Amino acid sequence: MTALRRVQKELKDITDNPIDGVAIEVADDNVLHWKCIVKAASDSPYKNGKFHFKLELPSDFPFKPPTVTFTTKIYHPGVNEEGHICVAILRDEWKPSIKLSTVLAVIQEKVNNPIPEDPFMPDIAAQLKDDKTAFLATAKEWTKKYAT
């Protein structure tokens, strides 16, 4: 019950104060399952892309973090082939006080600003670090192919 009340309150907060560039849709039959979209920033390597992901809240939320899975392919050092994103607050830095709006903002920031540190995809991270031009070209190509 705690999870449901908390999620409904946070959903109302997000609806009342939307995050620019992030859209959420809650499953009709389950408030713990969200379909989300991050629209890439104009100064991002993924410019013009819309990246879909699922945010699934465990029944013991907020004591356990949500699970995030991208359903849109993205050429990103922090997102693996299965669509899992490498974000500390969804792993070892999770605290029950973290709001879902913060989670969404962190995901948006991570998508828009790929960094080679703490990668899920070491090869892509190495390319970003050593050959940024090639990384940007591939990121742009994948965005055009999968996210527009």
Side-chain angles (χ1 to χ4, degrees):
M1 273 303 147
T2 307
L4 236 45
R5 274 200 308 274
R6 165 87 181 253
V7 171
Q8 287 168 330
K9 182 188 179 314
E10 291 206 36
L11 198 51
K12 184 183 180 334
D13 291 347
I14 293 168
T15 305
D16 293 346
N17 304 293
I19 302 164
D20 195 32
V22 177
I24 60 169
E25 181 185 315
V26 178
D28 290 336
D29 57 341
N30 191 342
V31 75
L32 301 178
H33 291 234
W34 298 9
K35 288 182 189 164
C36 307
I37 301 171
V38 168
K39 187 175 179 288
S42 59
D43 60 348
S44 156
Y46 310 100
K47 183 170 104 176
N48 300 325
K50 286 185 180 172
F51 298 91
H52 296 249
F53 62 93
K54 293 183 297 192
L55 187 137
E56 294 175 306
L57 297 150
S59 56
D60 52 358
F61 178 81
F63 304 104
K64 293 272 190 299
T67 304
V68 172
T69 310
F70 275 77
T71 53
T72 303
K73 283 181 72 152
I74 182 170
Y75 191 75
H76 194 291
V79 181
N80 69 12
E81 292 100 339
E82 290 84 45
H84 300 289
I85 188 166
C86 188
V87 175
I89 66 165
L90 294 177
R91 297 188 326 253
D92 45 333
E93 291 181 16
W94 178 256
K95 293 180 185 73
S97 59
I98 295 173
K99 296 203 173 301
L100 292 171
S101 57
T102 302
V103 170
L104 293 169
V106 167
I107 292 168
Q108 179 184 41
E109 172 67 21
K110 180 89 172 190
V111 166
N112 282 318
N113 300 294
I115 56 168
E117 292 76 35
D118 193 25
F120 255 11
M121 303 297 290
D123 294 353
I124 297 174
Q127 185 185 44
L128 172 57
K129 203 174 190 169
D130 303 331
D131 189 354
K132 193 169 183 180
T133 304
F135 166 80
L136 291 171
T138 305
K140 186 177 182 181
E141 184 184 314
W142 278 40
T143 299
K144 193 173 177 184
K145 190 172 181 178
Y146 301 112
T148 52

